[in-house]
Amino acid sequence: MLLQRCPSAGRARQCFHALKLIKKDCLLSPRVSRCASTAAVPRITTHYTIHPRDKDKRWEGVNMERFAEEADVVIVGAGPAGLSAAIRLKQLAAEHNREVRVCLVEKASQIGAHTLSGACVEPRSLEELFPDWKERGAPLHTPVTEDKFGILTETSRIPVPILPGLPMVNHGNYIVRLGHLVSWLGEQAEALGVEIYPGYAAAEVLFHEDGSVKGIATNDVGIQKDGAPKATFERGLELHAKVTVFAEGCHGHLAKQLYKKYNLRENCQPQSYGIGLKELWTIDEKKWKPGRVEHTVGWPLDRHTYGGSFLYHLNEREPLVALGFVVGLDYQNPYLNPFREFQRWKHHPSVQPTLEGGKRIAYGARALNEGGIQSIPKLTFPGGLLIGCSPGLLNVPKIKGTHTAMKSGMVASEAIFSQLINENLQSKTIGLDVQEYEENLKKSWVWKELYAVRNIRPSCHTVLGVYGGMIYTGIFYWLLRGMEPWTLKHPGPDFAQLKPAKDCTPIEYPKPDGKISFDLLSSVALSGTNHEHDQPPHLTLKDDSVPVSRNLAVFDGPEQRFCPAGVYEYVPLETGEGSRLQINAQNCVHCKTCDIKDPSQNINWVVPEGGGGPAYNGM
Amino acid sequence: MAALRVLVGVKRVIDFAVKVRVAPGGAGVQSQGVKHGLNPFCEIALEEAVRLREAGAAQEVIVVSLGTKASQETLRTALAMGADRAVLAEVAEGVTAGPKEVATALAGLVGRLQPQLVILGKQAIDDDCNQTGQLLAAMLDWPQGTFASRVELDSGSVRVQREVDGGLETLRLRLPAVLTADLRLNEPRYATLPNIMKAKKKPLEVIPAADLGVPGGSPRLKVLQVQEPPPRAGGEKVENVQDLLGKLRQSGRI
């Protein structure tokens, strides 16, 4: 019955037919490699992290030597955390009259081009870093003047009062275009002497013989789509450091490797995520209320799917609003399409009038952390440490992570600096183990803040869903400020929450009208994303046969729905029946959702050639 | 090594993948904070010059640009790709410079630096003018080889294969000459990080554009209006040829 109603019934039938040809045990274990008797699986992944070059004939005789540069500290990622860490190090060096070489690598072609956030920022950390931020011209132009919260039903909006003391009170905060703030931080860092290298991605972590981190190597360039070297092939550069700071943001690809190597996650909960989609609109001046912050929950999501919207009125030269939608990635229905939920939310009678007559000028998406304090891994290891959204310091009910990210960068630098100038330092490993960073962060306001809100997100997992969470917040946070003696758990990793397609109902989404709501491809074009097309796809699959044999067969290919850039498409095979997965790597906006939500955990996002990716301007 | 000096002109342009917007006021596009990069045809021109030096046919590659302070970044990338030194003919923020102004600045630099060969990109991807190389050649009274898809230096002359409407044309030009690079001339190398670091030590000179004879004041050409192309309207399907002819007559097309 379900098959007949399902829009992709034809495809599903083809897949079940193809499945009859596949050996039974392939279905059971997603990690079984290459089944012998299937219809030939077209080769999708050509990246050297899956097909090593030392066994590849085409790489025989190619010079694989790398140059190396020595620095004191290398920072991966020029976001709020990475830049704050860099700035703090240089400030301390100047104070103590010492030379500290700080190198910062960033995969975006310019600082801020991969930054995306709402964003409503608490200026607390900026004040600590630059007490004179206003005189220096930091782009915080929009103080929050109005704070509104509502629960949406399909046709109406129920206002919810924001009582003082609730985590989402925004008095004293600023609505910012985070990309511009990051760009400004980059200028401050450069002025202090930080060596910033945009357009170069950290592709590999390097290790000393004693197992401590030695530094990173940037990406190789000049590899063809099929994995063979081009005439322009050149190896990346090795950057060695006494301490390497990993500030890759939510779900970093190098952090993923470090968790495994140093077992950093053995005493914490799995991280939980959301996907945030965002647009910038210029609107009719009459509707523009600079300083207004609006959040909603409810429609179009059901109570079991965490998520909601934001709409912020910016005070810049033109009447600009930043709006977007977050969907918790622990959602269960594989037919859910976060992009289309966002597009249909804009048609709500309380939202659409604001956008009518306006023009959409930007689009983007990024995963964000929702795990809170329970999901923070061990932060330090020999030779390195994790800061910012990489370990995950976002305050979920406040939906703010910038201030905690910046503070963690500053605390890290203070701890690193004291080790760098300590002449009597006895380090057990060549790479320094800066344990004081984690100790100090735990004593700081960051930890107190995250501890107080730790139970709000997990309280949404009861049968009351998001409304249970709101009740919990009202009772335990507003009255008790998080002092309850228990700590709730998350139900498990996000990718494991997906139910098989046969147990779920497909969702009927309305067609975009081209004025308020839009189709996916025109949205992706607005992100300005592009990659050098002749390179191996950076969305690598551990096993090329799993998408069709498991993701499509069991979950109806959820990646074609959760990717906000249309990277994954199941297309019919050129001959015979069945489908194959087509990966449009050029569209990727580096949001990391696929790596998080793939139910088979078969997709491994690795960094593409530096300089590729979105070209956000003040997102 | 031949004592040949090559001058390469480059331009900082908005990245081709960015969706541009009309600036408020309507007389240009939004460029503040937008991703910029080295013009692709200029990259190809620079690659050719560096290859000539690596083959021993040239001794020095000087890369130059006319632009605001931000163009220094572009020149650093060019130095990382292999140029020996760079010169920025600086103009103030907000000043627009067209092909005439650029050609004037280049002519001034040619006078100072005395190259035997100037290689430019055939056009910039923001204005698509395709004029600077030609104007420069006329100003200097030098021969020009535009739309070059192959360049071979002999002593005292250069053989240029040009892509023209009718096919390929090969010219031999006496040096000094101006060439403009077309797409198929070469595949530019990457500006790798070790070279970016080395490029910091290479000389980058900044000269005010006015010193090179670029007139200040209002530009000769004024952009009146920039508009987005009209959104694509739906098409119409007709049943047969008679219908088609009828519709065409109706709309006044025939």
Side-chain angles (χ1 to χ4, degrees):
Chain A
M1 262 304 279
L2 191 65
L3 272 179
Q4 259 128 27
R5 278 194 292 135
C6 166
S8 42
R11 232 191 266 144
R13 261 185 239 117
Q14 287 171 348
C15 292
F16 283 115
H17 176 76
L19 277 175
K20 286 185 196 145
L21 305 171
I22 298 173
K23 267 200 226 153
K24 215 162 157 215
D25 38 22
C26 289
L27 257 184
L28 296 172
S29 163
R31 267 184 243 104
V32 166
S33 58
R34 221 46 62 119
C35 305
S37 69
T38 77
V41 176
R43 166 111 134 182
I44 302 174
T45 303
T46 53
H47 202 273
Y48 63 81
T49 50
I50 305 286
H51 300 287
R53 289 173 291 194
D54 50 7
K55 301 191 184 62
D56 191 333
K57 278 205 180 56
R58 302 169 297 181
W59 287 87
E60 260 170 54
V62 175
N63 185 1
M64 298 298 269
E65 243 191 276
R66 280 192 289 222
F67 292 114
E69 284 277 329
E70 305 289 327
D72 291 299
V73 180
V74 165
I75 304 177
V76 177
L83 286 167
S84 300
I87 290 169
R88 194 75 195 106
L89 272 171
K90 283 297 199 180
Q91 285 176 339
L92 288 165
E95 263 170 57
H96 290 82
N97 226 335
R98 304 286 284 245
E99 286 288 323
V100 178
R101 184 176 185 200
V102 181
C103 290
L104 179 47
V105 287
E106 163 60 45
K107 61 175 165 57
S109 57
Q110 58 185 46
I111 307 296
H114 287 187
T115 300
L116 183 137
S117 182
C120 202
V121 161
E122 242 182 64
R124 178 171 200 176
S125 301
L126 183 61
E127 297 259 331
E128 285 184 34
L129 191 62
F130 288 117
D132 57 345
W133 59 262
K134 225 182 211 140
E135 289 82 52
R136 284 175 181 257
L140 274 70
H141 302 302
T142 313
V144 175
T145 55
E146 246 191 290
D147 221 334
K148 296 170 85 185
F149 192 87
I151 302 177
L152 298 183
T153 65
E154 190 164 350
T155 49
S156 66
R157 178 178 176 277
I158 307 166
V160 173
I162 302 187
L163 306 166
L166 280 177
M168 51 285 287
V169 170
N170 275 306
H171 183 72
N173 296 337
Y174 291 83
I175 307 172
V176 300
R177 295 175 69 173
L178 193 60
H180 286 168
L181 179 56
V182 165
S183 186
W184 176 86
L185 283 171
E187 287 167 20
Q188 307 308 306
E190 268 190 320
L192 286 168
V194 177
E195 290 175 54
I196 305 187
Y197 298 111
Y200 296 96
E204 199 186 317
V205 185
L206 305 167
F207 299 98
H208 288 292
E209 300 233 326
D210 63 10
S212 61
V213 170
K214 185 173 172 183
I216 54 102
T218 60
N219 57 284
D220 294 345
V221 293
I223 305 179
Q224 272 170 214
K225 223 182 162 93
D226 65 5
K230 289 196 253 194
T232 46
F233 173 72
E234 266 191 72
R235 285 286 263 163
L237 178 72
E238 292 192 8
L239 285 170
H240 300 166
K242 303 188 179 106
V243 185
T244 307
V245 177
F246 291 90
E248 295 173 287
C250 177
H251 205 80
H253 81 111
L254 293 180
K256 198 174 166 183
Q257 296 172 26
L258 292 165
Y259 294 150
K260 270 206 212 101
K261 169 134 181 133
Y262 295 108
N263 221 350
L264 302 172
R265 300 204 73 96
E266 62 183 335
N267 293 321
C268 69
Q269 293 261 296
Q271 185 60 267
S272 176
Y273 302 89
I275 177 178
L277 302 110
K278 178 180 173 182
E279 289 174 356
L280 278 178
W281 283 64
T282 50
I283 57 170
D284 186 343
E285 246 189 87
K286 298 186 223 71
K287 307 186 187 165
W288 180 48
K289 305 264 182 284
R292 174 185 283 188
V293 162
E294 286 185 52
H295 291 112
T296 70
V297 293
W299 189 85
L301 299 177
D302 62 31
R303 68 175 189 275
H304 296 296
T305 308
Y306 186 82
S309 75
F310 64 88
L311 203 157
Y312 304 149
H313 294 244
L314 286 154
N315 190 3
E316 309 237 329
R317 272 150 294 150
E318 23 175 12
L320 212 55
V321 294
L323 64 149
F325 206 78
V326 174
V327 178
L329 285 177
D330 58 346
Y331 69 81
Q332 299 177 333
N333 185 345
Y335 293 109
L336 194 138
N337 187 323
F339 173 79
R340 301 193 80 171
E341 298 288 354
F342 174 33
Q343 297 302 317
R344 74 168 164 171
W345 163 78
K346 286 188 280 177
H347 283 289
H348 191 273
S350 72
V351 183
Q352 183 161 331
T354 309
L355 300 177
E356 263 158 8
K359 185 158 189 282
R360 183 176 75 150
I361 62 172
Y363 164 82
R366 182 74 170 90
L368 52 119
N369 300 293
E370 293 183 349
I373 209 172
Q374 295 92 317
S375 303
I376 300 179
K378 183 162 185 293
L379 297 172
T380 66
F381 39 91
L385 45 92
L386 302 164
I387 61 175
C389 274
S390 180
L393 304 173
L394 190 128
N395 181 327
V396 183
K398 264 194 196 174
I399 11 170
K400 290 181 178 57
T402 307
H403 63 309
T404 50
M406 288 175 72
K407 180 65 174 172
S408 70
M410 291 153 66
V411 172
S413 287
E414 285 157 7
I416 294 171
F417 189 77
S418 62
Q419 278 209 18
L420 287 178
I421 59 171
N422 183 351
E423 264 127 33
N424 303 319
L425 186 71
Q426 306 271 26
S427 177
K428 289 197 209 101
T429 50
I430 309 176
L432 302 177
D433 195 349
V434 190
Q435 291 178 357
E436 300 79 35
Y437 156 57
E438 184 156 3
E439 291 159 17
N440 293 347
L441 193 64
K442 289 191 166 146
K443 293 188 208 138
S444 73
W445 54 259
V446 170
W447 221 257
K448 285 194 198 60
E449 189 180 313
L450 293 178
Y451 185 78
V453 298
R454 71 196 178 290
N455 285 322
I456 295 180
R457 175 71 177 91
S459 68
C460 301
H461 292 131
T462 65
V463 67
L464 293 172
V466 181
Y467 305 113
M470 293 175 68
I471 297 171
Y472 188 97
T473 307
I475 301 173
F476 291 100
Y477 184 81
W478 191 60
L479 290 174
L480 296 179
R481 290 288 186 277
M483 290 196 296
E484 66 270 29
W486 56 82
T487 299
L488 299 175
K489 285 196 163 60
H490 303 303
D494 290 342
F495 67 82
Q497 306 307 313
L498 213 52
K499 290 200 179 121
K502 63 176 170 46
D503 298 335
C504 301
T505 328
I507 305 177
E508 282 284 325
Y509 289 104
K511 272 185 76 158
D513 72 348
K515 295 203 197 61
I516 305 282
S517 53
F518 300 90
D519 65 297
L520 186 59
L521 289 180
S522 67
S523 308
V524 176
L526 270 186
S527 69
T529 193
N530 194 36
H531 295 85
E532 159 63 48
H533 81 284
D534 195 10
Q535 63 173 308
H538 63 281
L539 297 325
T540 66
L541 305 173
K542 296 183 201 150
D543 181 340
D544 282 351
S545 64
V546 163
V548 171
S549 68
R550 187 162 187 267
N551 288 19
L552 187 59
V554 179
F555 302 99
D556 198 49
E559 56 268 60
Q560 48 187 341
R561 296 188 189 92
F562 60 55
C563 175
V567 170
Y568 300 97
E569 269 186 287
Y570 281 96
V571 296
L573 287 170
E574 282 85 18
T575 52
E577 290 191 24
S579 308
R580 61 175 181 87
L581 178 65
Q582 177 170 284
I583 297 185
N584 306 312
Q586 274 185 282
N587 289 7
C588 180
V589 292
H590 297 205
C591 75
K592 313 298 175 59
T593 302
C594 56
D595 195 305
I596 294 167
K597 190 59 175 171
D598 177 6
S600 311
Q601 288 291 280
N602 189 39
I603 300 174
N604 194 40
W605 190 99
V606 298
V607 77
E609 271 180 22
Y616 298 142
N617 179 8
M619 282 291 262
Chain B
M1 220 193 256
L4 192 92
R5 189 174 296 137
V6 185
L7 191 75
V8 178
V10 299
K11 186 178 183 186
R12 177 177 180 262
V13 296
I14 294 180
D15 184 270
F16 74 91
V18 166
K19 266 255 168 329
V20 286
R21 286 202 286 150
V22 177
V29 296
Q30 276 278 25
S31 62
Q32 181 74 277
V34 169
K35 179 178 175 183
H36 283 72
L38 186 46
N39 183 40
F41 295 107
C42 299
E43 251 186 328
I44 295 172
L46 177 59
E47 173 67 23
E48 196 60 25
V50 175
R51 286 189 190 187
L52 286 174
R53 192 201 59 214
E54 287 173 346
Q59 193 178 39
E60 194 187 10
V61 175
I62 309 176
V63 62
V64 303
S65 190
L66 178 80
T68 62
K69 207 158 36 127
S71 293
Q72 285 195 35
E73 229 179 85
T74 313
L75 287 171
R76 285 278 171 225
T77 309
L79 288 169
M81 278 177 68
D84 298 299
R85 56 188 171 111
V87 180
L88 172 65
E90 192 175 350
V91 294
E93 300 285 333
V95 167
T96 42
K100 184 88 194 299
E101 287 77 30
V102 177
T104 309
L106 287 173
L109 284 167
V110 164
R112 286 197 194 194
L113 300 169
Q114 299 288 307
Q116 288 77 44
L117 187 61
V118 176
I119 316 184
L120 307 175
K122 72 170 179 184
Q123 65 197 57
I125 61 169
D126 51 7
D127 55 21
D128 280 334
C129 282
N130 195 333
Q131 296 166 14
T132 307
Q134 293 87 331
L135 285 173
L136 178 63
M139 282 180 189
L140 298 171
D141 198 24
W142 285 11
Q144 56 181 277
T146 53
F147 310 105
S149 62
R150 188 135 55 130
V151 170
E152 275 155 25
L153 268 181
D154 289 324
S155 76
S157 69
V158 56
R159 279 173 76 94
V160 187
Q161 181 187 79
R162 304 177 57 222
E163 291 195 4
V164 297
D165 289 341
L168 296 169
E169 175 189 66
T170 309
L171 299 176
R172 185 156 56 89
L173 309 173
R174 257 201 301 267
L175 294 178
V178 175
L179 304 180
T180 71
D182 205 330
L183 193 61
R184 277 160 281 273
L185 180 56
N186 58 50
E187 196 187 328
R189 66 195 63 192
Y190 291 86
T192 55
L193 190 50
N195 291 326
I196 288 271
M197 291 183 171
K198 282 191 212 135
K200 283 201 204 150
K201 305 193 187 90
K202 292 186 183 175
L204 194 161
E205 200 190 335
V206 180
I207 308 177
D211 287 4
L212 295 166
V214 177
S218 40
R220 284 158 50 94
L221 291 177
K222 183 173 168 198
V223 175
L224 296 176
Q225 197 189 37
V226 173
Q227 264 179 341
E228 286 201 12
R232 198 173 163 197
E236 234 188 291
K237 270 201 172 138
V238 291
E239 294 297 304
N240 52 46
V241 177
Q242 289 310 316
D243 264 354
L244 175 63
L245 291 175
K247 289 256 155 63
L248 287 172
R249 267 191 213 104
Q250 240 175 15
S251 64
R253 303 266 196 251
I254 52 171

